[in-house]
Amino acid sequence: MPDKIALFDLPRAQLRELLISWGEPSFRADQVWGWLYRSLVSDFDQMRNLPKELGARLGKAAYLQALTPLAERVSADGLTCKVLFALRDGETIESVFMRYERRRTVCVSTQVGCPIGCPFCATGQGGFTRDLTAGEIVEQVLYFARQWIGEQGPRTKDQGPGISNVVLMGMGEPLLNYEATWQAIETLNDARGFGLGARRITLSTAGVVPGIQRLSREKLQIGLAVSLHAPSDRLRDKLVPLNRRYPLHQLMAACRDYGQNTGRRVTFEYALMEGINDSLEQARRLRRLLVGLTCHVNLIPLNPTVESPYQPPSRKMALAFQRELERQKIPTTMRVGRGVDIQAGCGQLRGKI
Ligand code: SAH
Ligand code: SF4
């Protein structure tokens, strides 16, 4: 018997082709799509307006659930929740749901592990296993959307997708899994389905230059965050080993083009590590590197991880670094360590709880 089809792996056009090949009228695909991404069903039985035979055939040929939640941890303030999921092949990933102010943000993984191996990141230290499929990426968002909506009671028509933002900042390097990641973004954005605005989606990359160039040519313009962490090649070669392949001059040129092609400002992430990249001289070098770029710098005092030799700087040092950047009128924010008590902060995901 052939393997069952993972329904969340199909783009809308392919779902339509499948149903047409079964002799169904094409509007059936829109109905099924609506059940999956608007009504957020997790079972074929819940697709109430489908003919019984079609529901049964879908149930035989396809499946909906690729992710099984294994464990959940909620931060002490109750605002961050991390879930460990098992995939069908037994691999595990983690996703994070954050409810701050009026936002409800899901941070999703795009790979099992990560091949880049940044020494300060728990994911990187665990090595790489495989890419996620588009459906596995999308389902992480749907899981939290269902949970949120379940808590809110019956939906009103205009309630929207429940989730306000998606950040591709979990485990893995999204631009090394471009096809699946992009398909997932298109599925989440689709106005006939989940309907999450492109402006509410942010992708973070360690600096895969061809991927950034490709992104800048896409019709859909999402937010781009680049993990910089160092103002010189010598240091960045160590902290983000991908820099040896795509050094800073190439990376900055790609970011400049991204800004010009999309009209969006790029965010640079800079994890502050005591005695490594947090000196005032390094802040000045960073300032010079960013001259002429419409950008935003997100400073993140390093989150501790089990194997990392690095430490965050004192608050005083971190603020001095920030002030030095702002002297050039570079907009910055200092990220607060949310979810750190449950290892749900940046770089703390490793696929086990
Ligand atoms: N691979 C992508 C996306 C996932 S990592 C990337 O690197 O951009 C999400 C962010 O967390 C990146 O900016 C990453 O550099 C940062 N990060 C990793 N480990 C961290 C740590 N221990 N403390 C703070 N930020 C960390
Ligand atoms: Fe991979 Fe990003 Fe972690 Fe580096 S920081 S190892 S690129 S997940």
Side-chain angles (χ1 to χ4, degrees), residues 181-196:
T181 296
W182 193 253
Q183 188 190 316
I185 289 169
E186 286 188 324
T187 296
L188 292 172
N189 175 253
D190 189 309
R192 292 199 226 172
F194 199 70
L196 184 68

Side-chain angles (χ1 to χ4, degrees), residues 293-353:
L293 251 159
T294 319
C295 67
H296 180 100
V297 176
N298 206 338
L299 296 168
I300 317 162
L302 190 80
N303 292 322
T305 65
V306 184
E307 280 143 52
S308 153
Y310 307 115
Q311 295 298 321
S314 65
R315 184 149 176 83
K316 200 169 145 219
M317 275 302 284
L319 290 174
F321 191 96
Q322 181 176 28
R323 265 197 309 276
E324 198 60 40
L325 283 183
E326 289 185 336
R327 282 177 53 177
Q328 188 92 7
K329 308 256 179 311
I330 296 178
T332 62
T333 39
M334 183 81 70
R335 203 181 286 176
V336 270
R338 279 166 168 157
V340 171
D341 59 333
I342 55 166
Q343 269 81 51
C346 301
Q348 293 184 309
L349 305 183
R350 53 192 192 137
K352 42 189 166 181
I353 277 190

